């Protein structure tokens, strides 16, 4: 490891950056250095801008991905190297805000009854019922599921930006978790490795590791295809459905902002545009138990993958 890379890592650790942010920023800097085959502290602002243009125009990366790299560059040149960014411009692209393709309650129910196996069904049900991000759900631990009557919630310890939060845990969601835990092999009284995280979803090859985030995306696509749903999206679509369906049920925007882990309420308020016009009649006053509010559909056969 070069001293420059260590300086950047130390600066991010000191500021409490999330692990995924650290990984993304280091990846961006490595790509920049490899592109020019020299240390990034020797590059000019124009060279950095030319590289960002290369990422979008030649490598076909989205503006969101380029902006993530730009954040890493700004941190490196502005914070690590201490340069005046007014003379070292790292621009951000304006990303058009697209309205996500939501699933109706009927489509969510159809998706959940066409999952390929029990693990997929449990994961996707929890994604819809809690609104957790994909990475948050993959890294959920049993110790963070609080089932006490006076404190039923899920403690998200490492959300986006390294922020923690509490998410309501309804009885129907707790039942899904309890059924899933009953299917798990018994854990030893004393873990083989001290302080081993008790992941709710583990990697198939190593139970000491959390579930990789690519597996749920495959499960989602398989369920969508089997259910005959043609709308685009991935597991994150269920988070959009969670937010919109709760707003239709009468949940206020500020509570939903806390549960989703949004820094600004304006981000949450965008879901107001997706609320059905007849929601005040059809859904207002419904409980927070999204799973039991889904329409009944014929369940598909489920079996664990070989």
């Amino acid at each position: 490891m070069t001293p420059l890379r260590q300086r950047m890592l130390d600066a991010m650790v000191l500021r409490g950056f999330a692990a995924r942010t650290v990984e993304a920023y280091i990846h961006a800097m490595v790509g920049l250095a490899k592109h020019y085959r020299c240390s990034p502290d020797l590059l000019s602002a124009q060279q950095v801008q030319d590289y960002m243009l290369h990422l979008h125009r030649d490598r076909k990366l989205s503006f969101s991905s380029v902006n993530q790299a730009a954040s890493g560059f700004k941190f490196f040149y502005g914070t690590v190297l201490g340069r005046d960014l007014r003379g070292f411009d790292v621009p951000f692209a304006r990303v058009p805000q697209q309205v996500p393709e939501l699933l109706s309650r009927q489509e969510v129910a159809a998706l959940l009854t066409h999952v390929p196996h029990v693990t997929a069904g449990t994961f996707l049900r929890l994604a819809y019922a809690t609104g957790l991000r994909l990475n948050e759900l993959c890294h959920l631990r049993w110790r963070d599921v609080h089932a006490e009557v006076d404190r039923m919630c899920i403690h998200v310890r490492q959300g986006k930006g390294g922020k923690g939060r509490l998410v309501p845990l309804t009885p129907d969601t707790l039942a899904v978790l309890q059924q899933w835990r009953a299917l798990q092999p018994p854990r030893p009284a004393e873990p083989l490795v001290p302080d081993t995280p008790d992941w709710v979803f583990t990697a198939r090859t190593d139970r000491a590791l959390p579930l990789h985030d690519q597996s749920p995306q495959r499960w989602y696509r398989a369920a969508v295809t089997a259910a005959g749903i043609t709308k685009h999206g991935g597991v994150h679509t269920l988070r959009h459905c969670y937010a919109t369906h709760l707003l239709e049920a009468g949940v206020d925007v500020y509570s939903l902002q806390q549960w989703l882990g949004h820094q600004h309420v304006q981000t949450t308020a965008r879901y107001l545009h997706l609320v059905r016009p007849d929601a005040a009649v059809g859904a207002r006053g419904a409980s927070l138990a999204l799973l039991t509010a889904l329409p009944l559909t014929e369940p598909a056969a489920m079996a664990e993958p070989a």
Side-chain angles (χ1 to χ4, degrees):
M1 182 179 295
T2 65
L4 198 58
R5 179 169 180 166
Q6 188 62 59
R7 280 177 59 189
M8 185 171 182
L9 282 170
D10 291 344
M12 290 188 285
V13 170
L14 187 63
R15 288 159 179 79
F17 281 18
R20 290 175 70 89
T21 303
V22 172
E23 181 182 355
Y25 283 11
I26 292 296
H27 177 76
M29 296 307 305
V30 169
L32 180 66
K34 285 185 176 180
H35 182 74
Y36 286 108
R37 298 181 181 180
C38 71
S39 179
D41 61 331
L42 303 177
L43 301 175
S44 66
Q46 185 60 53
Q47 286 175 303
V48 174
Q49 292 179 21
D50 290 343
Y51 176 68
M52 292 170 60
L53 186 61
H54 161 73
L55 292 178
H56 177 66
R57 185 175 58 193
D58 301 328
R59 293 187 52 189
K60 309 299 181 184
L61 297 187
S62 67
F63 280 124
S64 296
S65 298
V66 176
N67 283 348
Q68 185 182 56
S71 297
F73 300 153
K74 289 180 75 73
F75 180 81
F76 175 76
Y77 290 105
T79 303
V80 178
L81 297 185
R83 294 185 184 177
D84 185 355
L85 293 180
R86 290 175 297 181
F88 197 98
D89 185 31
V90 180
F92 284 92
R94 292 188 60 182
V95 181
Q97 296 294 332
Q98 298 181 350
V99 177
E101 283 196 281
L102 287 179
L103 303 181
S104 66
R105 288 176 177 80
Q106 188 71 42
E107 289 173 322
V108 172
L111 180 146
L112 295 178
T113 53
H114 286 81
V115 290
H117 46 75
V118 176
T119 307
T122 304
F123 190 96
L124 296 180
R125 277 175 170 80
L126 292 176
Y128 172 64
T130 63
L132 267 61
R133 298 179 178 92
L134 175 58
N135 185 63
E136 294 169 349
L137 195 49
C138 286
H139 288 81
L140 179 63
R141 302 179 301 176
W142 285 114
R143 72 188 70 174
D144 295 327
V145 177
H146 302 289
E148 300 83 1
V149 175
D150 61 340
R151 191 177 175 78
M152 286 181 60
C153 65
I154 292 176
H155 186 181
V156 180
R157 296 185 180 272
Q158 282 292 329
K160 190 174 182 179
K163 298 183 177 68
R165 69 184 189 279
L166 300 178
V167 178
L169 177 62
T170 55
D172 60 346
T173 306
L174 177 60
V176 172
L177 281 163
Q178 290 172 335
Q179 292 168 8
W180 173 245
R181 188 158 202 175
L183 296 174
Q184 306 308 304
R187 299 177 60 87
E190 293 294 333
L192 299 178
V193 180
D195 300 325
T196 299
D198 51 340
W199 307 114
V200 174
F201 298 97
T202 61
R204 292 190 64 202
T205 55
D206 187 348
R207 291 182 57 81
L209 298 177
L211 178 69
H212 195 279
D213 57 14
Q214 290 183 358
S215 296
Q217 296 290 16
R218 291 196 298 269
W219 302 338
Y220 180 91
R221 290 192 292 269
V224 164
T225 301
I229 299 171
T230 58
K231 293 177 180 176
H232 297 287
V235 175
H236 202 75
T237 299
L238 296 176
R239 177 174 161 90
H240 295 319
C241 294
Y242 166 88
T244 307
H245 293 171
L246 284 185
L247 285 173
E248 291 177 345
V251 173
D252 66 277
V253 174
Y254 291 97
S255 295
L256 188 59
Q257 175 197 2
Q258 301 302 315
W259 301 344
L260 291 171
H262 287 161
Q263 184 174 1
H264 304 291
V265 72
Q266 292 86 350
T267 305
T268 314
R270 289 184 299 178
Y271 289 108
L272 290 169
H273 300 291
L274 305 177
V275 172
R276 298 194 334 264
D278 63 334
V281 177
R284 194 160 302 277
S287 72
L288 302 184
L290 292 175
L291 292 175
T292 52
L294 292 175
L296 296 176
T297 59
E298 188 67 24
M302 290 191 295
E304 283 297 331

